[in-house]
Amino acid sequence: MKTLYLAGGCFWGTQKYFDQFPGVLRTTVGYANGTTEHPSYEDVKKRHTGHAETVKVEFDETVLPVRTLLGYYFDVIDPFSVNRQGEDEGIQYRTGIYYDDETLVPAIREVFDAVQNRAERPLAVQVKPLAQFYDAEEYHQKYLEKNPGGYCHIPERMFHRTEEQS
């Protein structure tokens, strides 16, 4: 099992999006790479803790290679937007690929560089080691499963994907 921490805007939709792919074993929403310990949602939203809403994605690399997982990630974010995804704005909605396993860095760099090379301007996606990750409150976990029709910045067409769409 491997783990990546993916910040892609509001973590509700990002979690639902990654949960649909074979090879994803578990996802957890939380707060990454900020300046305070054990922040609450209110802290992150109102107290400028510097954390990003992030999804911890645990996956089986033999089923879902890192490059494929990151291809899905880039399919669903605006990689040029600074501190904003959809209607959500603020540093907590920045995009980032965070890792705690150095063996994943070559694949991360390969995908990032390929996307950057096709782009006409710099990407606003952070690629950094994970400084820390704190699980979000329970009511945020699988939020869109618990609250069908809840707000999501990711277009509905991105859910229920098939291999042909990838």
Side-chain angles (χ1 to χ4, degrees), residues 42-104:
E42 289 301 312
D43 292 335
V44 171
K45 193 168 176 82
K46 296 181 180 172
R47 293 188 181 84
H48 310 291
T49 66
H51 290 87
E53 289 194 14
T54 301
V55 180
K56 177 181 180 181
V57 181
E58 298 171 80
F59 60 102
D60 180 342
E61 194 175 22
T62 65
V63 177
L64 181 61
V66 174
R67 288 167 185 83
T68 303
L69 177 67
L70 291 176
Y72 292 149
Y73 172 73
F74 278 103
D75 284 347
V76 79
I77 65 164
D78 175 351
F80 306 109
S81 185
V82 176
N83 298 335
R84 181 184 183 112
Q85 291 292 303
E87 297 300 314
D88 297 315
E89 189 171 359
I91 194 169
Q92 70 269 29
Y93 300 116
R94 70 184 180 271
T95 52
I97 302 167
Y98 308 122
Y99 56 88
D100 60 3
D101 179 347
E102 290 288 330
T103 67
L104 301 178

Side-chain angles (χ1 to χ4, degrees), residues 95-166:
T95 52
I97 302 167
Y98 308 122
Y99 56 88
D100 60 3
D101 179 347
E102 290 288 330
T103 67
L104 301 178
V105 173
I108 293 168
R109 293 290 348 156
E110 181 182 316
V111 173
F112 182 91
D113 291 347
V115 173
Q116 181 61 77
N117 289 337
R118 292 190 305 268
E120 296 181 12
R121 55 189 168 153
L123 301 182
V125 179
Q126 295 181 328
V127 176
K128 293 184 170 186
L130 181 73
Q132 79 285 105
F133 178 84
Y134 299 103
D135 290 2
E137 297 82 353
E138 182 57 37
Y139 73 92
H140 288 296
Q141 306 298 331
K142 311 286 186 191
Y143 183 87
L144 292 177
E145 285 182 19
K146 299 173 192 172
N147 299 279
Y151 169 76
C152 184
H153 69 288
I154 298 173
E156 182 63 31
R157 71 179 184 282
M158 298 305 290
F159 298 103
H160 314 294
R161 297 191 41 179
T162 65
E163 288 303 312
E164 296 81 44
Q165 292 174 306
S166 301

Side-chain angles (χ1 to χ4, degrees), residues 22-35:
V24 171
L25 305 174
R26 184 177 353 186
T27 58
T28 307
V29 297
Y31 314 111
N33 286 20
T35 58

